[in-house]
Amino acid sequence: MRLNLFWKLGVAFLALLVAVLLPVDYYGERNLRRDYQRAGFEQLSAIARIALASPPIVLSLATNSRTPGPALHDWIARIAASGARVTVINAGGVVLADSESDPETMENHAGRPEIRDAFAKGDGLSVRRSVTVNRDLQYYAVRYSPAGGSPVVLRFALPVRAADDEVWALRRRLWLSSLVMLVVAGTASLLISRSFASRVERLQSFSRRVADGDFRPIEADRSGDALEALAASLNDSASRLDRAIRTLTEERNLSSAILGSMVEGVAVVNSNERLLFANDGFAEILELDAPPKSGSSLVEIVRQTELIEAVRVVVAGAPRVEAEISTGTLRQRFFAVTVASVRAMETSGAVIVLHDITDLRKLERIRRDFVANVSHEFKTPLTAIQGFAETLLAGAIEDPQNRIRFLQIILEHSRRLARLTDDLLELSKMDADRLDLELDRLSVSQFVQSCMETTQRSAKEKNLSVSVDLQGTLPDIAADRRRLAEVLQNLLDNAIQYTPSGGRIKVSAVSDREEVTFTVSDTGIGIPKVDQPRIFERFYRVDVARSREVGGTGLGLSIAKHLVEAHGGRIWVDSEVGQGSHFHFTVPVFQPQHALSRPDH
Ligand code: ADP
């Protein structure tokens, strides 16, 4: 590039020089020639004047004679001593005498322009090559009319060559000085063009750097010319570009961080239902193997027709459509879909937002089930009470034998209703988070013993053996005695209820640094694996008829779970159908530094 610029400048400079030199040369030469000619003619006319002033008498003699005689020759030789060639021609064009040639050998000169002009107008000029002496000559001819003789023309000539030499000398000087000028100017222009080219190159590499994303400013060269101004304005644009790109990048990073961290699925499709953007949540919710690529068609990646349909309606012009989809087969999840139309500059399409409403749906189901279960649970005892009361009123009251039995049934069912109501009240208290635990330091063995009395009695009635097996040294626990007793009692009651007579029940406890794990084991009917995760749900019973028969409400375990978790522990079951069950729950160890503080729940 540098060389290129140099050559361009060099050639332009040379062309300029030649363009100036050629006319200078041409006009210089012409003027010089003209000046020389004029000087020559002036000299010739001076010679002519002198010649005509000297006794022209010889001329009058000559005009009539072809042999001029020695007088004329002398005269001619004297004038020719000034350096000019002198020729005398008569009116017929015949050369009478010549200072340099023999007139005999010379042709007729009547046709020579200067001779013609001289005879016609008195004098004549011409510059041309002499046929006689074979040289470039300039001629000056004057007519001379002697008294009594016919007119003759005196012609004086000087060689033109002297002017030629001068012209060439001038030309040599001109070209030589131009050459020197060219070399000096060329060197100067080389230096200038070099610095110019290197500055242009710096600007060029700067703009390339900016295009590659490096916005560091270019150093100012303090030359004060247009290139410096250009560098300054480029610096300015680069820093502005840098700021704009930084802002855009920050904004983009922020929005992609926001979208990326959202649990909601967000995607944008264009009017051809092709994906422009999708966050991780979108891929996760729709259980896509890989994050969808931009440009992939929505129908190819989404199976939920409700979603596709909603997008179509919005793309067709609707501002906003709400829908609901579900995903997964084993663990079904539900999502609220909001599709809204977006219009950003030239692109139009739809933005899809998927919001997880699985918990909401689950809660709704639980509430529905709960209401159904409660109604159902109340219905049986109420129907029984109502039926037997009606029977009594209808006359059975007179029957002493049945009367007592009927009243006992009514009492039993009302007790059941009372139990149900108590359990429900307790649960609703827990739900409302109004369970105030009074945490105390409890000795595990004392606590277990206090629960055993009632158990022993009922176990005996069913012919069950009950044993207690506590680890040697157990730390004290932090618990609400009454509430925790409820838990243990509940588990023991269940163990008694679901273990056929002759079976064994055992209460054991082990500890680690953090917590004490209680286990209530029985050799009863056991719980099928499928039911195990659900027995802690409200009203869930493996065998509804059997539970009712033993007076169960289906709420005991869910209350126990709530209470254990309120203490900061866990509850779970291991069971084998026909082998028996092991119910475990943990209670945190009493920590003196946390004394009397209430665990979060
Ligand atoms: P219920 O009042 O019916 O006993 P629970 O919530 O206490 O209600 O128990 C829920 C269900 O769990 C019971 O209906 C029963 O089917 C099962 N269950 C609880 N404890 C045992 C156990 N020790 N052995 C076998 N099944 C049990």
Side-chain angles (χ1 to χ4, degrees):
M1 132 108 205
R2 189 180 291 197
L3 213 64
N4 199 0
L5 190 69
F6 169 68
W7 280 118
K8 271 185 192 163
L9 279 175
V11 167
F13 190 77
L14 201 68
L16 191 72
L17 200 73
V18 168
V20 172
L21 264 188
L22 280 182
V24 167
D25 178 277
Y26 173 72
Y27 287 110
E29 187 200 346
R30 223 173 67 153
N31 282 351
L32 203 67
R33 270 187 200 284
R34 212 180 45 219
D35 285 353
Y36 270 74
Q37 267 178 25
R38 195 184 299 134
F41 283 125
E42 272 166 14
Q43 194 184 342
L44 287 173
S45 76
I47 293 169
R49 266 197 311 279
I50 294 166
L52 288 175
S54 66
I57 188 71
V58 285
L59 285 175
S60 58
L61 298 173
T63 50
N64 300 320
S65 143
R66 181 91 206 183
T67 49
L72 185 58
H73 277 294
D74 287 349
W75 182 76
I76 284 175
R78 215 174 56 246
I79 294 170
S82 64
R85 176 185 167 198
V86 184
T87 316
V88 181
I89 300 119
N90 72 6
V94 177
V95 178
L96 300 177
D98 187 85
S99 62
E100 288 181 21
S101 298
D102 181 5
E104 298 294 329
T105 61
M106 289 169 71
E107 60 187 60
N108 188 295
H109 272 44
R112 301 288 195 274
E114 69 278 2
I115 307 295
R116 256 202 332 263
D117 284 352
F119 276 117
K121 293 183 274 172
D123 64 354
L125 300 174
S126 94
V127 180
R128 53 183 178 76
R129 197 159 191 83
S130 155
V131 180
T132 320
V133 295
N134 194 25
R135 271 195 308 182
D136 279 340
L137 294 176
Q138 62 182 104
Y139 298 96
Y140 176 63
V142 282
R143 188 180 60 201
Y144 177 70
S145 307
S150 49
V152 287
V153 164
L154 300 181
R155 189 183 72 173
F156 307 92
L158 280 172
V160 176
R161 199 179 47 205
D164 270 359
D165 290 347
E166 288 304 315
V167 166
W168 275 110
L170 173 77
R171 188 171 278 162
R172 250 198 318 280
R173 274 200 303 279
L174 188 70
W175 282 97
L176 205 70
S177 57
S178 299
L179 206 69
V180 172
M181 243 167 69
L182 182 69
V183 170
V184 171
T187 314
S189 83
L190 172 71
L191 294 177
I192 291 169
S193 82
R194 267 196 174 181
S195 102
F196 183 75
S198 87
R199 290 171 64 204
V200 170
E201 246 168 52
R202 274 181 59 221
L203 286 178
Q204 197 184 28
S205 79
F206 171 67
S207 68
R208 221 177 290 130
R209 193 151 63 75
V210 168
D212 289 342
D214 178 356
F215 297 105
R216 279 174 300 130
I218 190 172
E219 269 174 49
D221 52 16
R222 311 242 171 271
S223 60
D225 61 4
L227 274 187
E228 193 200 339
L230 178 63
S233 81
L234 279 179
N235 268 344
D236 193 32
S237 324
S239 75
R240 242 181 266 177
L241 202 63
D242 187 22
R243 269 201 303 279
I245 288 177
R246 254 178 233 280
T247 317
L248 284 177
T249 314
E250 265 167 35
E251 276 172 16
R252 196 198 52 197
N253 288 352
L254 183 69
S255 42
S256 64
I258 292 171
L259 287 168
S261 62
M262 274 171 79
V263 281
E264 279 82 10
V266 180
V268 182
V269 290
N270 64 11
S271 51
N272 299 325
E273 294 172 26
R274 290 197 173 272
L275 221 53
L276 297 177
F277 166 83
N279 70 350
D280 294 347
F282 188 79
E284 202 180 298
I285 288 169
L286 296 176
E287 294 165 349
L288 308 178
D289 299 334
K293 281 197 210 83
S294 170
S296 40
S297 160
L298 191 67
V299 249
E300 280 166 22
I301 48 175
V302 173
R303 285 188 302 274
Q304 287 75 4
T305 45
E306 300 92 332
L307 174 56
I308 296 167
E309 204 44 56
V311 169
R312 282 197 182 143
V313 173
V314 168
V315 166
R320 188 187 170 93
V321 172
E322 311 263 350
E324 197 178 313
I325 57 165
S326 65
T327 62
T329 39
L330 277 179
R331 251 191 86 236
Q332 223 184 5
R333 288 162 75 201
F334 298 90
F335 294 90
V337 180
T338 308
V339 185
S341 102
V342 276
R343 234 161 278 279
M345 307 231 255
E346 252 119 79
T347 40
S348 71
V351 58
I352 306 167
V353 179
L354 304 178
H355 179 67
D356 194 344
I357 49 164
T358 312
D359 287 344
L360 196 74
R361 288 281 168 276
K362 207 156 120 190
L363 277 177
E364 276 172 10
R365 202 201 67 216
I366 289 173
R367 193 183 52 81
R368 264 200 316 273
D369 290 356
F370 184 74
V371 171
N373 281 328
V374 169
S375 324
H376 189 73
E377 290 302 324
F378 273 81
K379 198 170 168 149
T380 321
L382 281 174
T383 317
I385 291 168
Q386 192 185 352
F388 285 106
E390 276 169 4
T391 316
L392 282 172
L393 286 175
I397 200 155
E398 307 298 338
D399 177 355
Q401 242 183 357
N402 282 329
R403 178 171 64 193
I404 301 297
R405 199 168 58 85
F406 287 173
L407 283 172
Q408 267 169 352
I409 294 173
I410 289 175
L411 182 65
E412 193 188 305
H413 280 291
S414 36
R415 278 199 186 125
R416 181 174 168 72
L417 277 180
R419 261 203 317 279
L420 258 174
T421 330
D422 285 348
D423 284 357
L424 282 173
L425 271 176
E426 177 128 19
L427 272 176
S428 80
K429 248 196 238 166
M430 291 174 191
D431 282 349
D433 214 9
R434 280 191 280 118
L435 191 68
D436 284 327
L437 294 183
E438 287 166 24
L439 293 184
D440 265 333
R441 180 176 189 159
L442 288 190
S443 138
V444 175
S445 60
Q446 273 175 16
F447 164 70
V448 173
Q449 282 311 326
S450 70
C451 297
M452 293 316 287
E453 272 168 42
T454 29
T455 311
Q456 296 281 13
R457 221 178 307 124
S458 10
K460 217 174 196 173
E461 283 171 19
K462 261 191 95 176
N463 190 24
L464 298 169
S465 75
V466 183
S467 62
V468 176
D469 175 14
L470 304 179
Q471 199 184 31
T473 48
L474 283 169
D476 289 345
I477 49 171
D480 181 322
R481 178 189 294 273
R482 198 170 57 83
R483 298 293 192 179
L484 200 65
E486 237 178 276
V487 175
L488 185 58
Q489 200 65 61
N490 199 296
L491 296 181
L492 285 167
D493 286 351
N494 279 351
I496 294 169
Q497 275 159 4
Y498 299 105
T499 307
S501 56
R504 290 184 311 279
I505 293 165
K506 188 171 90 179
V507 180
S508 56
V510 291
S511 78
D512 58 21
R513 276 158 41 104
E514 302 285 308
E515 53 191 18
V516 174
T517 307
F518 294 83
T519 304
V520 177
S521 313
D522 63 53
T523 54
I525 57 170
I527 304 160
K529 284 271 179 287
V530 282
D531 296 308
Q532 285 177 19
R534 299 199 59 190
I535 55 170
F536 297 98
E537 286 175 18
R538 290 166 192 195
F539 295 113
Y540 192 85
R541 284 171 289 195
V542 179
D543 180 345
V544 181
R546 182 165 189 152
S547 161
R548 288 236 177 90
E549 195 186 298
V550 296
T553 58
L555 295 172
L557 285 181
S558 64
I559 292 173
K561 184 170 190 253
H562 260 93
L563 289 175
V564 167
E565 286 174 357
H567 277 86
R570 290 160 290 128
I571 186 165
W572 70 102
V573 67
D574 290 326
S575 182
E576 202 69 51
V577 175
Q579 303 284 314
S581 313
H582 305 272
F583 279 87
H584 314 277
F585 66 94
T586 63
V587 182
V589 163
F590 176 79
Q591 311 279 1
Q593 67 269 34
H594 297 145
L596 301 178
S597 72
R598 196 177 160 224
D600 294 336
H601 58 91

